Amino acid sequence: MIKKVNMKRFIYFFVFFLLLTLSLFFVMNSLGSKTIQESLVNSSKNQLAYTESIMNGIISEASLYGIQYTADTSVRFYQGRIQELNIYDAQMKKNDIYDRISAPLLSSQAVESIGIYWKSDGTFIFTGHDSLAKRPFETVTQRGWQIVNNSLYYFSIYPYIHEPTNPANIQYIVGVKLKKEYLASLLEKAVNGESSNAFFLVNKSLMISNKAVDSHIEAKVKETITPNTQEILKFDYHINGDDYYVLSKYIEPIDTYLVTYTRMSDFLNPLNQNKQVFFVSILIILIIGLIVIFMFYRNYYRNVYLLDKKFNQVEQGNYSTRISENPDNQFYSLFKSFNHMVAKIQALFSSLKIETELRRNAEIKQLQAQINPHFLYNNLFFIMAVAKTSPEAVMQMSKHLAEYYRYLTKMNSDDVTLSSELKLADHFLSIMSLSKKINYDINLPPELGDQRIMPLIIQPIVENAIQHGIEEHQGAYRVSIDVKPLDTGAMIIVADDGKGLTPDEISQLMIRLENESPPEGARGIGLWNIHHRLKNAYGELSGLRFFLNDWGGLSVLAFIDFSLEEGGQHAIIDR
């Protein structure tokens, strides 16, 4: 105990001494670095602001040219006038417009070319010599700045005052293209010596620069910058041992960022040398501290953390996780015991899953076997009896019988939709109504049709209503199936006007259904099976309930809670 306390005090003292020494050094070093950095940043901001002002002038100039020639009367009435002119006069008119739009290029350093495109006949007047220059104009749909083929254009459209919402109503387009070379030359005004570089980032995709840009800094800029038009944004970046500060200014009209970055290391080398000397002096102390911390981490903390991580994985249901490390200490036996425990749990759950699947399949196959044979024989005899006298009845019976057995034989999933279950009940009742006097109705709200439930729940209840209700009561003929939505589920009610049950008989029936083992004999086993399947899948509040209805017959109620996954917390126990 005394050794542990002394060791703890030593660690505390060592950490305190190391932190105090480092803090004093960094305070002195930071003061010097901060002064130099603030001076450099302020200088770079001033240069950036100056370059931005020049760029804003270029934007205004290009926009002014676009608006000027959009509103020019010679351009506006050009197409109307050339219809009245001969070929020579029309060409002279075109030359006049060409001279007008070429004049500004003599004095402008930033504008490369100006073009006018009339959409109705494809006429194109252009100051440049590019044979493909017309293509960008053909796809313009609105006024503003655009990037086309890695070049920056300003497009103005006519009508100008009321911009058309339909591109087909655009009469002509005036486009002004900026010189990329001139934009790149402006960047020289934004840099701060050889340690700085600058570039334009247009629409976060097109980069304009006059020197190679560091790809890492370019990627970081694209990730970090935000469109703030009010102030110059700054962030620091460290890569390959060099420290950079990056400044960016968003130029909203052209959706462009003016970015400069400066390598601070070149200015802070004297301070960095002092820092290196200091670090050498405390290197031994640092090594000792790292060794102590590493030994503590290796022998204790890492193993505890690993064990906690693996327990969390097991808690989340990952029973295949194992600890592969073999430390040379007491944790080895602990890890070995953990692996043995998880392997046992995994084997147990695997066995239980197989057993559950087999039991579920057996329940479904057993229920299908109870439903199919006698029902098929009876209906085949009906077809034989009416084959000659009523071909229509034979067709109806054959159709519903085929649909009924197609559903049963092709059912291979653990759940179906409510609508498909009610369709099966509809086929069954249609078959029964051909051989007996039965009127029925089925009511299903549309929003519940796609809800998933276990198969073969509703049809056996309907069959039970006919066999033990209607067939045992003279004059009974009515069956209804109502599905009613509830907050988290649905209530299914199957009613008939058969002989019904007395309150005592209903109580006795519920007692038989609640028994863990099925009733002896064939009578009642179908309802017992459905009752327990519902409770196993949807909770104790599910299952079957019975009550007398207004017809004097029996109503069977089944509640299904859709908020519980089928088999949820009851699957391991009951299914």
Side-chain angles (χ1 to χ4, degrees):
M1 183 66 184
I2 296 177
K3 292 182 179 180
K4 291 182 180 179
V5 172
N6 290 338
M7 185 63 185
K8 183 183 297 185
R9 289 180 178 177
F10 172 78
I11 293 175
Y12 288 160
F13 175 80
F14 172 79
V15 172
F16 173 77
F17 175 79
L18 184 61
L19 290 177
L20 179 61
T21 307
L22 290 174
S23 299
L24 292 174
F25 170 78
F26 279 113
V27 166
M28 293 184 294
N29 188 74
S30 298
L31 288 175
S33 300
K34 185 177 180 181
T35 303
I36 297 175
Q37 187 171 0
E38 286 179 352
S39 176
L40 289 172
V41 170
N42 289 333
S43 175
S44 297
K45 284 185 177 181
N46 292 334
Q47 291 175 290
L48 193 69
Y50 174 68
T51 307
E52 181 197 11
S53 66
I54 298 177
M55 191 64 195
N56 286 332
I58 295 173
I59 294 170
S60 299
E61 178 186 1
S63 302
L64 181 61
Y65 289 150
I67 296 170
Q68 174 184 341
Y69 294 117
T70 302
D72 191 292
T73 55
S74 299
V75 177
R76 289 171 54 195
F77 302 113
Y78 170 73
Q79 284 202 318
R81 290 174 179 173
I82 62 172
Q83 304 296 329
E84 305 169 0
L85 302 176
N86 56 39
I87 296 177
Y88 175 79
D89 292 334
Q91 182 61 40
M92 293 302 295
K93 191 68 178 176
K94 185 174 183 180
N95 291 344
D96 179 64
I97 294 176
Y98 175 84
D99 292 339
R100 284 173 175 268
I101 64 177
S102 298
L105 302 184
L106 300 176
S107 59
S108 176
Q109 296 179 324
V111 177
E112 179 177 332
S113 62
I114 300 176
I116 305 175
Y117 172 71
W118 284 266
K119 296 192 67 174
S120 59
D121 60 358
T123 300
F124 183 60
I125 302 176
F126 180 61
T127 61
H129 305 286
D130 186 359
S131 59
L132 302 178
K134 185 168 70 171
R135 290 186 179 179
F137 290 76
E138 295 174 341
T139 58
V140 172
T141 59
Q142 61 183 2
R143 181 188 307 118
W145 289 91
Q146 296 184 27
I147 301 174
V148 181
N149 297 330
N150 292 331
S151 295
L152 198 57
Y153 285 80
Y154 176 77
F155 292 106
S156 178
I157 62 176
Y158 187 85
Y160 183 79
I161 302 299
H162 301 289
E163 185 174 355
T165 56
N166 185 355
N169 296 330
I170 298 175
Q171 297 182 23
Y172 58 86
I173 301 161
V174 178
V176 181
K177 180 181 179 182
L178 297 183
K179 293 180 182 177
K180 286 182 63 176
E181 296 78 6
Y182 181 75
L183 296 180
S185 67
L186 286 179
L187 297 173
E188 290 293 336
K189 303 180 184 300
V191 298
N192 192 359
E194 293 298 326
S195 300
S196 298
N197 196 4
F199 60 92
F200 289 107
L201 187 61
V202 185
N203 198 22
K204 286 195 176 183
S205 59
L206 172 63
M207 188 176 69
I208 301 174
S209 63
N210 57 356
K211 292 194 298 185
V213 177
D214 188 293
S215 59
H216 298 287
I217 294 180
E218 178 188 352
K220 186 65 176 179
V221 166
K222 291 180 179 180
E223 176 186 341
T224 307
I225 56 178
T226 56
N228 189 330
T229 60
Q230 302 301 320
E231 56 182 295
I232 297 175
L233 302 182
K234 173 184 174 294
F235 70 88
D236 298 321
Y237 187 61
H238 179 83
I239 184 173
N240 297 330
D242 291 324
D243 294 314
Y244 295 83
Y245 68 86
V246 183
L247 302 177
S248 65
K249 184 65 172 68
Y250 181 63
I251 305 174
E252 183 176 10
I254 58 175
D255 191 22
T256 297
Y257 296 88
L258 173 57
V259 182
T260 67
Y261 61 92
T262 303
R263 186 169 57 244
M264 288 291 297
S265 304
D266 295 346
F267 303 94
L268 300 179
N269 278 338
L271 291 177
N272 290 334
Q273 291 175 358
N274 292 334
K275 186 189 297 184
Q276 292 173 1
V277 173
F278 172 81
F279 277 119
V280 170
S281 65
I282 64 169
L283 182 61
I284 297 176
I285 301 174
L286 182 61
I287 292 175
I288 295 174
L290 290 176
I291 291 175
V292 172
I293 295 173
F294 174 75
M295 294 300 294
F296 177 81
Y297 173 80
R298 179 184 178 185
N299 294 325
Y300 182 79
Y301 180 79
R302 186 180 63 175
N303 292 328
V304 172
Y305 175 80
L306 177 62
L307 190 61
D308 180 70
K309 178 182 177 182
K310 293 297 182 179
F311 268 114
N312 286 333
Q313 292 178 359
V314 173
E315 185 176 304
Q316 295 170 6
N318 181 10
Y319 301 109
S320 62
T321 186
R322 299 292 187 274
I323 299 178
S324 57
E325 284 79 1
N326 296 315
D328 297 330
N329 51 38
Q330 292 83 352
F331 280 96
Y332 174 78
S333 59
L334 186 60
F335 289 172
K336 184 177 179 181
S337 300
F338 172 85
N339 290 338
H340 179 73
M341 176 192 70
V342 176
K344 288 290 186 180
I345 294 175
Q346 185 180 22
L348 177 63
F349 272 94
S350 177
S351 174
L352 188 59
K353 181 179 179 182
I354 296 174
E355 180 181 349
T356 302
E357 289 295 327
L358 293 175
R359 183 171 180 179
R360 182 191 316 171
N361 293 335
E363 284 182 354
I364 294 177
K365 296 301 181 182
Q366 179 185 11
L367 189 58
Q368 288 177 317
Q370 294 169 1
I371 292 174
N372 294 342
H374 297 296
F375 178 71
L376 176 62
Y377 301 154
N378 292 338
N379 289 294
L380 289 177
F381 281 126
F382 172 81
I383 291 173
M384 293 172 57
V386 300
K388 294 181 179 181
T389 60
S390 181
E392 180 64 25
V394 172
M395 292 180 63
Q396 290 293 325
M397 175 66 78
S398 301
K399 173 187 173 183
H400 290 293
L401 199 61
E403 293 290 345
Y404 178 82
Y405 277 101
R406 185 195 318 187
Y407 181 90
L408 293 179
T409 55
K410 287 190 175 183
M411 183 181 59
N412 55 8
S413 63
D414 295 335
D415 60 355
V416 295
T417 62
L418 255 176
S419 60
S420 63
E421 273 291 278
L422 290 174
K423 194 67 178 176
L424 175 67
D426 184 32
H427 288 308
F428 176 79
L429 288 169
S430 297
I431 292 169
M432 299 303 296
S433 65
L434 289 171
S435 58
K436 298 178 177 63
K437 181 183 178 182
I438 294 178
N439 291 342
Y440 69 92
D441 63 282
I442 300 175
N443 299 311
L444 173 65
E447 66 271 15
L448 295 179
D450 293 331
Q451 287 289 351
R452 312 293 297 186
I453 64 170
M454 291 190 304
L456 297 177
I457 292 296
I458 301 175
Q459 187 274 339
I461 299 176
V462 174
E463 183 176 359
N464 187 79
I466 293 177
Q467 290 181 353
H468 302 295
I470 292 178
E471 291 184 352
E472 295 184 6
H473 185 67
Q474 186 69 25
Y477 64 94
R478 290 181 292 185
V479 177
S480 70
I481 305 175
D482 287 319
V483 181
K484 298 181 179 180
L486 300 176
D487 290 340
T488 60
M491 183 169 59
I492 304 173
I493 302 175
V494 179
D496 64 74
D497 62 347
K499 71 171 186 176
L501 296 175
T502 66
D504 289 340
E505 290 174 331
I506 292 177
S507 298
Q508 291 298 321
L509 176 60
M510 287 303 302
I511 292 174
R512 291 198 298 272
L513 294 185
E514 292 294 341
N515 286 335
E516 290 298 324
S517 57
E520 297 181 358
R523 188 176 180 89
I525 193 172
L527 291 180
W528 181 90
N529 200 334
I530 295 171
H531 180 70
H532 283 269
R533 289 174 65 207
L534 287 172
K535 291 177 63 177
N536 292 344
Y538 304 110
E540 290 296 329
L541 295 179
S542 299
L544 301 180
R545 303 290 184 271
F546 305 90
F547 57 90
L548 297 177
N549 55 44
D550 294 338
W551 295 340
L554 188 66
S555 292
V556 182
L557 182 149
F559 168 68
I560 296 178
D561 189 353
F562 298 132
S563 65
L564 296 176
E565 292 185 0
E566 183 179 335
Q569 59 186 357
H570 306 279
I572 296 177
I573 300 175
D574 297 319
R575 287 180 56 181

